[in-house]
């Protein structure tokens, strides 16, 4: 995988070291685990014949942008004499939701004498982001030829998540005719399942409850991950032991058997799988010994644990909304000291944060229309204070066209506002929550809402905000708060449930942690990608947690046909 580091700007060495160390410690920036691995498969149609005497020998080179440079990741095989190649080579990439991963697919006609690129003819390229491919699952784009003209050839990239061992297994065991180990009553049996590791050590996977005074116990159905049960190896040996429980902890051994998940799978379609429970000591000593009972697996059910990519590939859209603080504490926008000052060459912190986060989210929103709201200002025409006005002043349609539209609307509205106060964010959370609550009724994973709040100070409606967040935690939405400027944001940390459980003023806890707070000053000298990485790192898990908690499965890709156009 390409080296992934923050670009450093010229700054005093000591302060830069502090900044990058604190960023690395708090975010794990230098060793961030990927969200998942993705397999990309390529086809191409309509490659034109450059040589009149023979068909092209096409090869596609995959490059990824790193620090402004295109670096080769891998390349396909060369398919001889083919204008519509389907490549068997699979590209495996690490997918990071919180980064814009720019890809370029370069098409070459390879000289038949050798497979190198030096003498190959460059036919053109296609550029996109990994997020675009994933959100559409299959992306087709026209080849951009040398010189910038659009060619007839079409490259199609298909994405598939490389599934790990994150599925769960539901098992229902019982037994019959177990040996009786107690004098005055029957045995009190329980079952233990151990995974035998590659180094022959044994790892306890599950221990059932004890069924008292019963030689024919039926244990409760339980759930374990496939990874925990067998490390994804279906033939891995599992050591299973039945004990007679004793209150002093010196449990009596009844017997054991060996199994594997491959054998357990036999119970998937309702059939029972049985094992003889054997006590090796008895088998050696007793002439007519048969067994110490029979253990039965009555049911084996594989429960698919859906991932963030499952939902995105099933058509779930990220609805991105921005809320901007226009309170007087930001300073007069005409003054160069103001946090809202529009510098002719350097974007202010509000714009930097807006673009950094918005660039990631836009790949997962097909219409690229983003609602933008302001709070804490007096607005025209009557200059009444508002905490949820449309930045474009269009109450009926607050949406802006793309990230550029957001930037333009922000810059255009500044001269028309009177910055005022107080800093109330509950109204804007409630506004987005209202839209998210409508999505709940569909009982489908089609829209998940992200609210980005950019604010320069401590909020003044903390009680109402806590209440609004607790209510929003029941909805398909996440809230990202970026603190702009140098204010004391210590009170804001309580909204981020990482340190403890956020509660409403009435004591109701959040259903799930949906708030991420980050002070922009921590990333002032880092790349925009570092900020985006920080604030968006938790979003994929928040999406999955919400839909899994509601029992909402992603649509399978066949149910969801993307009709989202992308230009060449």
């Amino acid at each position: 995988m390409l080296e992934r580091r923050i670009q450093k700007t010229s700054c005093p060495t000591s302060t830069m070291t502090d900044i990058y160390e604190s960023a690395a410690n708090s975010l794990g920036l230098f060793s961030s685990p990927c969200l998942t691995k993705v397999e990309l498969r390529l086809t191409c149609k309509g490659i034109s014949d450059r040589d009149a005497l023979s068909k092209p020998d096409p090869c596609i080179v995959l490059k990824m942008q790193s620090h402004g440079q295109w670096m080769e990741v891998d390349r396909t095989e060369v398919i001889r004499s083919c204008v519509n190649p389907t490549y068997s080579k699979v590209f495996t990439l690490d997918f990071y939701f919180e980064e814009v991963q720019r890809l370029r697919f370069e098409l070459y006609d390879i000289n038949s004498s050798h497979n190198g690129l030096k003498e190959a003819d460059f036919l053109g390229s296609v550029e996109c982001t990994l997020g675009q491919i994933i959100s559409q699952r299959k992306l087709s784009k026209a080849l951009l030829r040398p010189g910038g003209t659009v060619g007839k050839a079409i490259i199609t990239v298909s994405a598939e998540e490389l599934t790990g061992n994150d599925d769960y297994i539901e098992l229902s065991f019982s037994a019959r005719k177990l040996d009786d180990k107690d004098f005055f009553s029957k045995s009190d049996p329980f079952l233990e399942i151990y995974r035998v590791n590659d180094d022959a050590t044994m790892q306890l996977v599950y221990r059932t409850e004890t069924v008292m005074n019963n030689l024919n116990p039926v244990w409760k159905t339980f759930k374990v991950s496939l990874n925990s049960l067998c490390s994804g190896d279906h033939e891995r040996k599992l050591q299973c032991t039945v004990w007679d429980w004793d209150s002093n902890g010196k449990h009596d051994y009844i017997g054991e058997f060996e199994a594997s998940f491959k054998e357990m799978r036999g119970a998937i379609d309702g059939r029972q799988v049985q094992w003889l429970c054997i006590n090796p000591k008895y088998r050696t000593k007793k002439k007519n010994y048969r067994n110490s009972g029979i253990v039965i697996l009555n049911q084996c059910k594989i429960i698919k644990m859906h991932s963030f990519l499952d939902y995105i590939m099933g058509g779930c859209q990220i609805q991105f909304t921005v809320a901007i603080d226009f309170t007087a504490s930001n300073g007069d926008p005409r003054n160069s000291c103001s946090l809202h000052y529009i510098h002719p060459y350097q974007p202010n912190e509000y714009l930097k944060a807006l673009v950094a986060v918005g660039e990631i989210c836009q790949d997962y929103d097909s219409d690229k229309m983003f609602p933008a709201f302001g709070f804490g200002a007096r607005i025209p025409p009557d200059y009444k204070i508002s905490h949820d006005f449309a930045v474009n002043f269009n109450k009926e349609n607050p949406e802006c066209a793309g990230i550029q539209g957001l930037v333009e609307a922000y810059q255009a509205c500044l001269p028309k506002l009177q910055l005022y106060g107080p800093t109330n964010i509950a109204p804007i959370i409630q506004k987005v929550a209202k839209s998210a609550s409508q999505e709940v009724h569909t009982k489908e994973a089609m829209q998940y809402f992200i609210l980005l709040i950019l604010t320069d100070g401590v909020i003044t409606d903390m009680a109402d905000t806590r209440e609004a967040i607790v209510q929003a935690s029941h909805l398909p939405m996440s809230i990202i708060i970026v603190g702009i400027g140098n204010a004391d944001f210590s009170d804001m940390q309580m909204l981020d449930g990482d340190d403890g459980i956020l509660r409403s003023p009435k004591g109701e806890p959040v259903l799930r942690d949906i708030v991420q707070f980050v002070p922009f000053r921590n990333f002032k000298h880092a790349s925009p990608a570092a900020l985006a990485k920080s604030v968006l790192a938790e979003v994929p898990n928040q999406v999955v947690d919400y839909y899994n908690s509601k029992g909402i499965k992603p649509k399978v890709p066949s149910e969801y046909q993307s009709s989202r156009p992308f230009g060449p």
Side-chain angles (χ1 to χ4, degrees), residues 109-355:
D109 182 2
I110 302 298
N111 186 304
S112 55
S113 60
H114 59 82
N115 288 343
L117 295 182
K118 269 190 178 177
E119 295 179 36
D121 292 324
F122 175 57
L123 304 183
S125 63
V126 160
E127 287 184 22
C128 60
T129 68
L130 186 54
Q132 286 170 347
I133 300 169
I134 286 169
S135 64
Q136 296 194 79
R137 199 164 185 272
K138 184 181 281 190
L139 180 139
S140 297
K141 292 185 83 171
L143 198 71
L144 210 59
R145 292 187 298 209
T149 58
V150 179
K152 290 180 180 176
I154 303 286
I155 289 181
T156 299
V157 188
S158 304
E160 193 174 339
E161 183 185 2
L162 192 62
T163 51
N165 304 322
D166 56 353
D167 291 347
Y168 274 75
I169 315 302
E170 201 170 83
L171 301 170
S172 300
F173 280 96
S174 63
R176 69 171 184 261
K177 297 183 179 177
L178 293 175
D179 283 353
D180 193 353
K181 294 289 182 180
D182 294 341
F183 290 114
F184 303 108
S185 63
K186 294 173 181 172
S187 294
D188 308 317
F190 66 91
L191 171 67
E192 286 184 335
I193 301 174
Y194 282 85
R195 182 184 74 225
V196 181
N197 297 320
D198 293 337
D199 60 0
T201 59
M202 297 213 296
Q203 173 67 49
L204 178 64
V205 174
Y206 191 80
R207 179 184 293 119
T208 69
E209 78 286 3
T210 300
V211 178
M212 303 298 288
N213 197 29
N214 196 328
L215 301 181
N216 302 297
V218 177
W219 290 291
K220 289 178 183 174
T221 301
F222 62 92
K223 198 164 68 172
V224 293
S225 72
L226 185 59
N227 188 60
S228 172
L229 183 68
C230 60
S231 305
D233 177 0
H234 292 201
E235 295 185 357
R236 183 178 295 276
K237 192 164 85 173
L238 303 172
Q239 185 74 38
C240 308
T241 308
V242 182
W243 300 88
D244 170 30
W245 179 83
D246 215 325
S247 57
N248 64 8
K250 295 179 179 176
H251 310 306
D252 295 318
Y253 174 81
I254 294 178
E256 64 186 49
F257 61 94
E258 281 184 6
S260 68
F261 179 60
K262 186 178 180 182
E263 292 172 350
M264 291 179 178
R265 286 176 66 104
I268 283 177
D269 52 7
R271 294 196 306 266
Q272 289 184 336
V273 180
Q274 300 185 357
W275 295 270
L276 297 178
C277 187
I278 301 296
N279 184 325
K281 211 181 273 185
Y282 286 1
R283 186 163 56 182
T284 306
K285 288 184 177 178
K286 293 185 177 182
K287 250 187 186 180
N288 299 321
Y289 177 77
R290 290 188 177 182
N291 57 64
S292 295
I294 296 171
V295 176
I296 305 149
L297 179 60
N298 300 292
Q299 180 191 343
C300 175
K301 191 190 291 183
I302 298 176
I303 301 168
K304 171 74 177 166
M305 294 304 289
H306 300 293
S307 71
F308 177 65
L309 258 63
D310 290 330
Y311 288 104
I312 293 295
M313 288 179 167
C316 183
Q317 297 277 296
I318 299 294
Q319 300 294 337
F320 179 57
T321 302
V322 181
I324 301 171
D325 182 336
F326 290 108
T327 54
S329 52
N330 284 281
D332 186 338
R334 293 169 295 185
N335 189 319
S336 61
C337 296
S338 170
L339 293 169
H340 280 304
Y341 179 66
I342 304 298
H343 194 282
Y345 308 113
Q346 180 73 27
N348 63 35
E349 290 185 12
Y350 278 98
L351 283 174
K352 284 180 181 174
L354 175 64
V355 172

Side-chain angles (χ1 to χ4, degrees), residues 513-531:
D513 182 13
I514 64 166
V515 178
Q516 177 78 346
F517 172 75
V518 174
F520 184 86
R521 59 173 173 256
N522 290 6
F523 301 90
K524 211 166 187 175
H525 303 290
S527 70
L531 172 70

